[in-house]
Amino acid sequence: MNLSPLPAIMLEPLVRAALLEDLGRAGDLTTDAIVPKNHHATTVLVARQSGVVAGLDLAMLAFRLIDQNVEMTVHRPDGSEVAQGETIASVSGPAGAILTAERTALNFLCHLSGIATATASLVAAVRGHGAKIVCTRKTTPGLRAVEKYAVRAGGGANHRFGLDDAIMIKDNHIAIAGGIRTAIERARRSVGHLVKIEIEVDTLAQLEEVLGFAPDAILLDNMSADELRQAVRMVAGQAITEASGRVTPATAPAIAATGVDLISIGWLTHSAPILDIGLDHRAP
């Protein structure tokens, strides 16, 4: 998988803040007391369970921000599938720096690899159908860009990055505007020709009304497989169709089989379990 690296100028503030949170007011009391300043160590990042790797740039940055002399050799880059017990990367350099940065590096790596692994399981579940697996804005505050990167590492695609990407008209917008027509007409008057408009519908009756306004995309929220199939027939290629609600690896194949273009899943970024990765010391 050819993933574009995340720019260091974006990653460094995230990693630096995490390190400062861990170091607190007095630094790493344990390591500073026990590990000699000039001690060199070689360690390895090892997968404790099978999955997909994501977040190595953040892990490496955590080590290097503590000491520039730490070196990391990557054996299984982001986007790679790894088996339980497989070495992902080797980390060598001043032992104190490695131990001080260990938890921050693993927090990022395990979290993002967990997202990539969950995404990969859903991508595999819908293989053979045309639907793409996409994430949402349900992300950890401050980590949206890297969590969405992890979705891409797992073979998924990204929905909006923020409120400024596109217009997404949801049920509360419609309720406050006083109806679908008013909401769409106001939206269309307020943006330029390059801005896409998506609207959420809960029923086939709403969908029928919406189709008269030619939106770019339609979010079919919490519909059954039968309703989704009928909705796809009604849309007939006039707009991108997106299904959401109660999506798991078990339910995703039936949803994809309805012919929707996208399946959006919030839990990928807000609730995916971590991928267990450890840092093991290797004796010389």
PDB file of all heavy atoms in Angstrom, residues 1 6 17 32 58 62-63 99 118 140 156 181 190:
ATOM      1  N   MET A   1       0.850  -1.191   0.000  1.00  0.00           N
ATOM      2  CA  MET A   1       0.000   0.000   0.000  1.00  0.00           C
ATOM      3  C   MET A   1       0.886   1.241   0.000  1.00  0.00           C
ATOM      4  O   MET A   1       1.823   1.357   0.786  1.00  0.00           O
ATOM      5  CB  MET A   1      -0.896   0.012   1.240  1.00  0.00           C
ATOM      6  CG  MET A   1      -1.780   1.226   1.359  1.00  0.00           C
ATOM      7  SD  MET A   1      -2.866   1.140   2.796  1.00  0.00           S
ATOM      8  CE  MET A   1      -3.868  -0.278   2.352  1.00  0.00           C
ATOM      9  N   LEU A   6       2.391  11.462   6.684  1.00  0.00           N
ATOM     10  CA  LEU A   6       1.834  12.662   7.299  1.00  0.00           C
ATOM     11  C   LEU A   6       2.962  13.659   7.552  1.00  0.00           C
ATOM     12  O   LEU A   6       4.052  13.273   7.973  1.00  0.00           O
ATOM     13  CB  LEU A   6       1.158  12.296   8.613  1.00  0.00           C
ATOM     14  CG  LEU A   6      -0.120  11.459   8.473  1.00  0.00           C
ATOM     15  CD1 LEU A   6      -0.532  10.894   9.815  1.00  0.00           C
ATOM     16  CD2 LEU A   6      -1.243  12.283   7.879  1.00  0.00           C
ATOM     17  N   ALA A  17       2.971  17.345  22.786  1.00  0.00           N
ATOM     18  CA  ALA A  17       1.981  17.531  23.851  1.00  0.00           C
ATOM     19  C   ALA A  17       1.806  16.249  24.665  1.00  0.00           C
ATOM     20  O   ALA A  17       1.677  16.286  25.894  1.00  0.00           O
ATOM     21  CB  ALA A  17       0.650  17.961  23.259  1.00  0.00           C
ATOM     22  N   ASP A  32      15.344   8.042  34.999  1.00  0.00           N
ATOM     23  CA  ASP A  32      16.455   8.906  35.386  1.00  0.00           C
ATOM     24  C   ASP A  32      17.222   8.334  36.574  1.00  0.00           C
ATOM     25  O   ASP A  32      18.449   8.493  36.685  1.00  0.00           O
ATOM     26  CB  ASP A  32      15.941  10.307  35.739  1.00  0.00           C
ATOM     27  CG  ASP A  32      15.434  11.059  34.512  1.00  0.00           C
ATOM     28  OD1 ASP A  32      15.706  10.601  33.382  1.00  0.00           O
ATOM     29  OD2 ASP A  32      14.765  12.096  34.687  1.00  0.00           O
ATOM     30  N   LEU A  58       4.533   8.597  14.112  1.00  0.00           N
ATOM     31  CA  LEU A  58       4.334   9.198  15.434  1.00  0.00           C
ATOM     32  C   LEU A  58       5.197   8.506  16.486  1.00  0.00           C
ATOM     33  O   LEU A  58       5.749   9.167  17.365  1.00  0.00           O
ATOM     34  CB  LEU A  58       2.862   9.143  15.826  1.00  0.00           C
ATOM     35  CG  LEU A  58       1.951  10.096  15.056  1.00  0.00           C
ATOM     36  CD1 LEU A  58       1.218   9.349  13.950  1.00  0.00           C
ATOM     37  CD2 LEU A  58       0.953  10.783  15.970  1.00  0.00           C
ATOM     38  N   ALA A  62       8.155  10.302  18.688  1.00  0.00           N
ATOM     39  CA  ALA A  62       8.188  10.303  20.150  1.00  0.00           C
ATOM     40  C   ALA A  62       9.594   9.989  20.664  1.00  0.00           C
ATOM     41  O   ALA A  62      10.095  10.651  21.587  1.00  0.00           O
ATOM     42  CB  ALA A  62       7.189   9.282  20.693  1.00  0.00           C
ATOM     43  N   PHE A  63      10.230   8.999  20.083  1.00  0.00           N
ATOM     44  CA  PHE A  63      11.599   8.654  20.495  1.00  0.00           C
ATOM     45  C   PHE A  63      12.581   9.769  20.148  1.00  0.00           C
ATOM     46  O   PHE A  63      13.416  10.166  20.978  1.00  0.00           O
ATOM     47  CB  PHE A  63      12.048   7.349  19.818  1.00  0.00           C
ATOM     48  CG  PHE A  63      11.295   6.134  20.261  1.00  0.00           C
ATOM     49  CD1 PHE A  63      10.534   5.398  19.359  1.00  0.00           C
ATOM     50  CD2 PHE A  63      11.348   5.703  21.581  1.00  0.00           C
ATOM     51  CE1 PHE A  63       9.846   4.260  19.758  1.00  0.00           C
ATOM     52  CE2 PHE A  63      10.663   4.565  21.993  1.00  0.00           C
ATOM     53  CZ  PHE A  63       9.908   3.848  21.083  1.00  0.00           C
ATOM     54  N   LEU A  99      13.147   4.336  26.856  1.00  0.00           N
ATOM     55  CA  LEU A  99      12.216   4.006  27.932  1.00  0.00           C
ATOM     56  C   LEU A  99      11.287   5.179  28.259  1.00  0.00           C
ATOM     57  O   LEU A  99      10.099   4.988  28.547  1.00  0.00           O
ATOM     58  CB  LEU A  99      12.984   3.584  29.181  1.00  0.00           C
ATOM     59  CG  LEU A  99      13.749   2.259  29.074  1.00  0.00           C
ATOM     60  CD1 LEU A  99      14.512   1.996  30.363  1.00  0.00           C
ATOM     61  CD2 LEU A  99      12.806   1.109  28.758  1.00  0.00           C
ATOM     62  N   ALA A 118      -9.351  -2.544  12.408  1.00  0.00           N
ATOM     63  CA  ALA A 118     -10.815  -2.591  12.338  1.00  0.00           C
ATOM     64  C   ALA A 118     -11.297  -2.230  10.938  1.00  0.00           C
ATOM     65  O   ALA A 118     -12.225  -2.853  10.399  1.00  0.00           O
ATOM     66  CB  ALA A 118     -11.410  -1.641  13.374  1.00  0.00           C
ATOM     67  N   THR A 140     -11.348  11.429  18.046  1.00  0.00           N
ATOM     68  CA  THR A 140     -10.799  11.955  19.288  1.00  0.00           C
ATOM     69  C   THR A 140     -10.360  13.402  19.063  1.00  0.00           C
ATOM     70  O   THR A 140      -9.610  13.672  18.118  1.00  0.00           O
ATOM     71  CB  THR A 140      -9.576  11.131  19.737  1.00  0.00           C
ATOM     72  OG1 THR A 140      -9.943   9.747  19.775  1.00  0.00           O
ATOM     73  CG2 THR A 140      -9.085  11.577  21.093  1.00  0.00           C
ATOM     74  N   GLY A 156      -9.524   1.832   3.997  1.00  0.00           N
ATOM     75  CA  GLY A 156     -10.758   2.594   3.905  1.00  0.00           C
ATOM     76  C   GLY A 156     -10.536   3.949   3.258  1.00  0.00           C
ATOM     77  O   GLY A 156      -9.444   4.264   2.777  1.00  0.00           O
ATOM     78  N   ARG A 181     -36.965  21.366   1.651  1.00  0.00           N
ATOM     79  CA  ARG A 181     -36.833  22.341   0.566  1.00  0.00           C
ATOM     80  C   ARG A 181     -36.082  23.590   1.032  1.00  0.00           C
ATOM     81  O   ARG A 181     -35.129  24.031   0.387  1.00  0.00           O
ATOM     82  CB  ARG A 181     -38.215  22.743   0.028  1.00  0.00           C
ATOM     83  CG  ARG A 181     -38.159  23.914  -0.965  1.00  0.00           C
ATOM     84  CD  ARG A 181     -39.547  24.387  -1.358  1.00  0.00           C
ATOM     85  NE  ARG A 181     -40.218  23.406  -2.194  1.00  0.00           N
ATOM     86  CZ  ARG A 181     -40.066  23.338  -3.518  1.00  0.00           C
ATOM     87  NH1 ARG A 181     -39.276  24.199  -4.150  1.00  0.00           N
ATOM     88  NH2 ARG A 181     -40.721  22.440  -4.211  1.00  0.00           N
ATOM     89  N   SER A 190     -25.813  29.597  -0.607  1.00  0.00           N
ATOM     90  CA  SER A 190     -24.742  30.125   0.233  1.00  0.00           C
ATOM     91  C   SER A 190     -23.342  29.659  -0.133  1.00  0.00           C
ATOM     92  O   SER A 190     -22.362  30.185   0.395  1.00  0.00           O
ATOM     93  CB  SER A 190     -25.013  29.759   1.700  1.00  0.00           C
ATOM     94  OG  SER A 190     -24.816  28.364   1.901  1.00  0.00           O
TER      95      SER A 190
END
